[in-house]
Amino acid sequence: MLFLLQLVMGILLIVSMVGYMQFVRKVMSIRWEFIPIFVFSAIACIVYFSGLAGQLFMGSIVVLVAGLLLFRVGVIRALYQNKRGAGSLSFSLFQLSFLGGVFIFLIILFHTELTHYDNFSHWAIVVKDMLSTNAFPTPDSDLIEFKNYPLGTSSFIYYICRFMGHTQPIMLLAQGLLIFSCFYAMFGIVSEKKRFLLYAFLGFGLSTLSFFNLTIRITNLLVDFLLPIYALAIISAVYQYRHDIIRACIIILPLAGMLTIIKSTGIIFAAIGLMFLIYMWLAHKQRFNWKVGLAVLGTIAGSLLPYFSWSWRMATVFHGVNNKFEGASAALKAGKTAEQKWEILVLFLRSSIDITTRPVLGLVIFQIAAIAASIVAYVVLKKKWNLWKALIALDVVVVLYYVGILALYLFSMPVDEAIRLAGFERYASSIVVLFAGGLVLCAAVDIERTFHYRIGEVPDYQAFKSVQSKRRYQQGIIACTALAATTLLSEYNGMISITKTYDKTLPYEVHAVTGDRWYTGGKEDMNRYLFYGSDRDQQVTSYYMQYVGRYFLYAPNVDGIVLFYEDNMDNLLSNYDYLVVVETDLNAKWLLKKHYGIDMQKGIYKITRSGDRIVLTLT
């Protein structure tokens, strides 16, 4: 019965989103490539503001119903047009290829469970809290440790899961919709739709971004990959509508607004997109049009509204609550010694130029490729590409971004994390994705401008300068398509491997013991739990097991232990309500048999006291 209900609600959710897309297409007349990410971002922002107003569930219902009504109106209009012979639905070869590829990856996500540490320390547990309470976390939400993380993607995931189900695969599928809609928007930078080579080249170039995304793969809810691809989607929309800046402003308003609340560093990537908007506004002779100027300024102000609304919430609702990376002043008050700062600086510089790391390798490869392509275009093709200009601009962005990361480690991050550059590869991968993606987009535009004839200038059969140029064009399509397919196949195999090995992960082991608990009204389980297991890969000392346990039990009071000390066993267990055995070993089995008369096995033991004795009962 529950499955049937979720199936029906899932269908209604899809119908609702299609209704919005039809409405946007009809009213705004923008290209299909930008419609999904526009609609998804707008929904996320509306749900986000509903959450701020304390109406998270009601806001989601209103969004769903409004989409269904728009779909009904769209269907009536389509039937009327078809009756008059004025309406038709068709897909291009590119659209069919893209949708087929996306469908395959979404199917994989639909069978994938969460494993990454940060899912359980924040990204997944905050969604579970929102789904359980139908509200944003408050200072009383003991399960949420990092309450200052913005809730942009969490709001969208909540909206999807609210109607389709609460499982981890649905969470991943929801974030996957954002990711693939961003990629779809990047293809909107192509103007000549009949040039399949451009789509094949973009497909290959953008597929390589997955190589730099292995540390933040789409099989988790981490948002570091969303940051750069959202910025690239904004850049694509601005460039495509560079001669219609007002329309560009309308498109990117929800995208930039959403980007500022994906993560605290999202404001940096939003600024990059908005700076490109300003550049295009000034560069295409529209700077003297006061209406266009107001649209640009209004877009910037509107984009920052979600960011400042979150800052206001942190300053009021969470006033006095300590959070991760609370700020430079707090860090400076705690203090890092000069020796520690020097150690951080040296390690940072060494890591930033280590060619064996994936981010540095990406920077070097794309630097060389961009320089080589610019030289070949000038010497062989006799064309002046803009790729070298984009390279310089992106190099400046990368340098400034790295300076910002260094400042984070020196002044904001706790000492124990800063001295080992915690998360460095993930932070660096984000800017490398932006760097590489920006160059690929610019190269696609340069290639488009290189064709001897524009589409429409001559009949299609005359669209090439010579037979040799047509042959090279066809060979280019084959090569780019093959390379793109090979790259995506590697990503596909990697995701399949992760899915197949889930039964060997700690979350699987914990879930097998505890199950996944959801409580009516979101009331937290306030019992005290002690988890027992080995410390392989530092899973207990790093608090990984404890975070996983907190998520599945929906309980804030979870501790972990890897070894029992016989002299202190009664005293230790008396401080807890339950003992959760995730893994067993001979020593622990012997001690529990000796003191409590039980044959230790995986499971949850109720801890009670009978007189002076501790009693363990398997539940």
Side-chain angles (χ1 to χ4, degrees):
M1 186 64 181
L2 178 61
F3 172 77
L4 183 61
L5 176 62
Q6 290 179 344
L7 179 62
V8 172
M9 293 305 300
I11 293 173
L12 291 177
L13 181 66
I14 295 172
V15 169
S16 175
M17 291 190 291
V18 171
Y20 282 115
M21 292 180 190
Q22 289 178 331
F23 175 77
V24 171
R25 175 70 173 178
K26 178 67 177 179
V27 174
M28 297 176 56
S29 298
I30 63 176
R31 294 180 53 159
W32 273 111
E33 289 89 343
F34 304 114
I35 291 178
I37 191 59
F38 176 87
V39 169
F40 294 157
S41 299
I43 288 174
C45 288
I46 294 171
V47 174
Y48 164 79
F49 281 113
S50 299
L52 289 182
Q55 299 296 324
L56 189 60
F57 178 69
M58 186 55 63
S60 300
I61 291 291
V62 171
V63 170
L64 177 71
V65 173
L68 292 173
L69 293 176
L70 289 174
F71 179 82
R72 182 175 182 275
V73 172
V75 168
I76 294 174
R77 184 188 297 116
L79 291 174
Y80 176 73
Q81 290 176 342
N82 285 333
K83 188 175 182 180
R84 299 178 58 190
S88 62
L89 180 64
S90 62
F91 294 93
S92 66
L93 177 60
F94 157 69
Q95 289 172 326
L96 289 173
S97 302
F98 186 86
L99 289 174
V102 169
F103 180 76
I104 292 173
F105 280 99
L106 291 182
I107 288 295
I108 300 173
L109 290 179
F110 196 72
H111 294 85
T112 302
E113 304 285 343
L114 300 173
T115 57
H116 195 285
Y117 181 101
D118 287 358
N119 289 307
F120 302 100
S121 66
H122 177 73
W123 299 110
I125 189 63
V126 75
V127 173
K128 187 170 185 177
D129 183 86
M130 290 167 62
L131 288 168
S132 299
T133 62
N134 285 314
F136 279 178
T138 67
D140 297 328
S141 302
D142 296 327
L143 281 163
I144 313 300
E145 292 197 3
F146 311 130
K147 298 181 176 68
N148 59 332
Y149 280 28
L151 299 176
T153 53
S154 300
S155 296
F156 184 75
I157 295 172
Y158 166 86
Y159 176 73
I160 299 297
C161 292
R162 180 75 282 161
F163 303 111
M164 290 190 68
H166 300 170
T167 63
Q168 294 178 11
I170 298 297
M171 297 179 189
L172 288 169
L173 187 144
Q175 183 150 305
L177 292 177
L178 294 177
I179 291 172
F180 289 112
S181 61
C182 282
F183 276 106
Y184 188 45
M186 293 180 214
F187 285 94
I189 204 168
V190 175
S191 296
E192 297 192 354
K193 296 183 179 181
K194 293 185 179 181
R195 301 284 193 186
F196 192 76
L197 175 62
L198 299 173
Y199 291 114
F201 172 78
L202 272 175
F204 165 57
L206 297 178
S207 66
T208 61
L209 301 185
S210 63
F211 176 77
F212 307 104
N213 184 44
L214 291 183
T215 56
I216 43 178
R217 215 164 202 154
I218 65 173
T219 52
N220 59 70
L221 297 180
L222 277 68
V223 298
D224 302 81
F225 190 48
L226 271 174
L227 298 175
I229 62 176
Y230 246 93
L232 292 171
I234 291 174
I235 290 171
S236 298
V238 171
Y239 181 83
Q240 182 57 240
Y241 291 100
R242 61 194 180 280
H243 300 299
D244 189 357
I245 293 296
I246 293 180
R247 194 181 302 273
C249 289
I250 295 173
I251 295 172
I252 71 169
L253 178 59
L255 274 70
M258 173 67 168
L259 186 49
T260 64
I261 51 173
I262 289 178
K263 196 177 182 180
S264 56
T265 52
I267 189 69
I268 299 173
F269 292 88
I272 294 171
L274 292 173
M275 288 174 64
F276 186 71
L277 171 67
I278 295 172
Y279 169 76
M280 282 296 168
W281 166 45
L282 299 176
H284 287 85
K285 301 179 181 179
Q286 300 180 63
R287 56 184 177 273
F288 300 115
N289 188 323
W290 66 271
K291 291 183 179 179
V292 175
L294 284 178
V296 172
L297 294 177
T299 299
I300 296 173
S303 301
L304 295 176
L305 183 60
Y307 175 81
F308 286 116
S309 66
W310 183 254
S311 299
W312 173 81
R313 177 177 173 84
M314 295 309 302
T316 54
V317 177
F318 290 94
H319 178 69
V321 178
N322 292 324
N323 288 293
K324 190 176 184 180
F325 309 155
E326 190 65 22
S329 58
L332 288 172
K333 186 176 180 180
K336 288 187 180 77
T337 66
E339 291 78 9
Q340 288 173 330
K341 290 182 179 179
W342 177 253
E343 182 182 354
I344 293 170
L345 176 61
V346 170
L347 180 58
F348 181 86
L349 293 175
R350 188 184 303 125
S351 301
S352 300
I353 60 175
D354 184 0
I355 192 65
T356 62
T357 61
R358 204 174 295 268
V360 178
L361 184 62
L363 291 174
V364 172
I365 290 176
F366 277 89
Q367 289 271 359
I368 295 174
I371 294 172
S374 298
I375 294 174
V376 170
Y378 184 76
V379 175
V380 179
L381 303 177
K382 308 301 180 183
K383 298 286 185 178
K384 291 183 178 180
W385 282 10
N386 291 322
L387 188 59
W388 66 273
K389 296 179 182 178
L391 178 62
I392 294 174
L394 288 168
D395 278 334
V396 172
V397 169
V398 170
V399 171
L400 293 176
Y401 183 84
Y402 269 80
V403 171
I405 297 178
L406 178 59
L408 171 70
Y409 286 118
L410 289 176
F411 303 115
S412 294
M413 191 174 286
V415 176
D416 61 328
E417 296 186 23
I419 58 176
R420 56 184 173 87
L421 298 186
F424 173 77
E425 187 172 359
R426 197 164 75 234
Y427 298 146
S429 293
S430 293
I431 198 62
V432 173
V433 168
L434 178 68
F435 176 81
L439 291 177
V440 170
L441 293 179
C442 184
V445 172
D446 283 334
I447 293 173
E448 186 176 45
R449 291 171 52 245
T450 300
F451 285 107
H452 189 73
Y453 296 110
R454 305 270 76 78
I455 293 293
E457 290 182 358
V458 295
D460 289 350
Y461 67 89
Q462 296 178 352
F464 297 94
K465 185 178 181 181
S466 65
V467 175
Q468 290 76 14
S469 64
K470 183 175 182 178
R471 184 181 300 113
R472 289 194 293 268
Y473 175 87
Q474 294 170 335
Q475 291 171 344
I477 290 178
I478 295 172
C480 289
T481 303
L483 290 170
T486 302
T487 306
L488 292 175
L489 183 61
S490 174
E491 179 70 8
Y492 169 84
N493 289 331
M495 293 174 63
I496 288 293
S497 176
I498 291 174
T499 302
K500 288 183 176 180
T501 57
Y502 177 68
D503 58 355
K504 297 180 176 61
T505 64
L506 178 65
Y508 173 84
E509 293 179 343
V510 174
H511 179 266
V513 173
T514 65
D516 189 4
R517 302 185 182 183
W518 295 77
Y519 296 100
T520 304
K523 186 177 180 180
E524 298 172 357
D525 181 353
M526 299 309 296
N527 287 305
R528 296 163 297 171
Y529 292 87
L530 178 65
F531 275 64
Y532 184 88
S534 69
D535 198 30
R536 69 174 192 274
D537 301 323
Q538 296 184 322
Q539 63 184 15
V540 176
T541 53
S542 68
Y543 216 73
Y544 181 29
M545 181 181 289
Q546 292 89 312
Y547 277 129
V548 174
R550 285 159 62 101
Y551 175 86
F552 284 120
L553 290 171
Y554 203 69
N557 302 313
V558 174
D559 292 320
I561 189 173
V562 300
L563 182 67
F564 285 119
Y565 292 96
E566 187 170 8
D567 295 342
N568 193 46
M569 288 182 66
D570 283 358
N571 182 52
L572 172 68
L573 294 175
S574 64
N575 293 317
Y576 296 93
D577 300 304
Y578 291 94
L579 171 66
V580 182
V581 179
V582 179
E583 298 172 341
T584 64
D585 57 66
L586 292 177
N587 182 64
K589 283 186 174 183
W590 180 77
L591 288 174
L592 264 63
K593 182 68 173 179
K594 175 182 178 181
H595 288 269
Y596 309 112
I598 63 171
D599 294 320
M600 186 182 187
Q601 56 183 289
K602 294 181 180 181
I604 300 178
Y605 292 85
K606 172 69 176 176
I607 302 173
T608 55
R609 187 177 277 277
S610 177
D612 295 332
R613 294 179 59 252
I614 295 293
V615 178
L616 300 180
T617 306
L618 184 63
T619 60

